[in-house]
Amino acid sequence: MISVKIEDIKSFTSKLFVGEVFDHFLVKEVSVSTYNTFTIDGTIKNGYYSKEEMEEQCIGTYSTWTTLKPFCFSMVKGKRLPTSFRIILLMPEDETERFLSTKNIGFPKEQVKGLYVNIRYEDEKLTCITGTSVSVFTMDKTLDEEWDNGFKGFLKQNQIPFEEE
């Protein structure tokens, strides 16, 4: 787990809320505080979509950032900045599998519950904190280290300046 401070908040939030840089991620949770606090649970509710819709549209357990981004953007845009927001993103299962295989990490995909990015804006400071979730106890930190490095590479690739905290 690492924490990075985003150096150019305006550019980052533009890429997050307007651009497509984060569109492939899934949404675990969103919380935006303005005049109220708005919370979104990214979990798809059983029964809302038919089986056919879920298969045709490749809908899984969580909504994509692409789907929720317009709602989230509507909460943060305007003359006043939000007092804070927190967005918990999750790498999709197929990308997690690809990540595990390309990095030769010794975890079976079934044991990796998630590769997360926690985006937090508060006190005019924006940070991203990486995290992993596995279903077994392990002292092996290879997955954590590879995910940390992978996320830093993602930021560099997308020209997002940051400073490790």
Side-chain angles (χ1 to χ4, degrees):
M1 177 174 77
I2 58 166
S3 175
V4 296
K5 179 182 174 194
I6 302 302
E7 295 178 343
D8 186 346
I9 295 173
K10 186 175 182 176
S11 173
F12 180 91
T13 54
S14 175
K15 290 176 184 189
L16 178 65
F17 292 111
V18 180
E20 299 175 357
V21 172
F22 293 89
D23 283 1
H24 66 285
F25 282 98
L26 302 175
V27 178
K28 176 86 168 137
E29 183 180 319
V30 176
S31 178
V32 177
S33 293
T34 56
Y35 59 90
N36 288 114
T37 298
F38 303 92
T39 304
I40 298 172
D41 176 356
T43 307
I44 301 289
K45 302 302 176 206
N46 287 333
Y48 185 79
Y49 294 106
S50 69
K51 264 188 179 175
E52 294 79 23
E53 287 175 310
M54 292 192 76
E55 289 172 8
E56 288 172 11
Q57 298 174 34
C58 300
I59 298 171
T61 305
Y62 298 102
S63 291
T64 61
W65 178 244
T66 304
T67 304
L68 294 180
K69 181 171 58 171
F71 299 106
C72 297
F73 182 58
S74 71
M75 290 186 282
V76 300
K77 71 178 181 179
K79 292 182 181 180
R80 296 183 189 187
L81 292 173
T83 57
S84 66
F85 65 78
R86 185 182 78 243
I87 303 170
I88 302 173
L89 299 176
L90 169 67
M91 183 181 280
E93 195 173 305
D94 61 332
E95 289 186 41
T96 298
E97 288 179 35
R98 196 167 33 256
F99 178 80
L100 293 172
S101 66
T102 59
K103 301 295 183 182
N104 290 323
I105 298 170
F107 280 96
K109 64 182 177 183
E110 298 80 25
Q111 292 180 348
V112 178
K113 297 297 181 191
L115 302 176
Y116 294 92
V117 178
N118 296 283
I119 302 168
R120 293 182 179 188
Y121 173 76
E122 196 169 41
D123 300 326
E124 299 179 11
K125 179 181 170 187
L126 197 143
T127 57
C128 295
I129 302 166
T130 60
T132 61
S133 176
V134 294
S135 62
V136 296
F137 176 77
T138 181
M139 296 295 289
D140 184 355
K141 298 298 179 196
T142 306
L143 177 62
D144 295 340
E145 292 166 0
E146 289 293 341
W147 177 232
D148 295 344
N149 290 330
F151 184 68
K152 288 189 287 187
F154 170 80
L155 293 175
K156 289 176 186 173
Q157 177 185 342
N158 289 287
Q159 300 172 345
I160 299 172
F162 65 93
E163 176 184 309
E164 221 171 316
E165 293 188 304

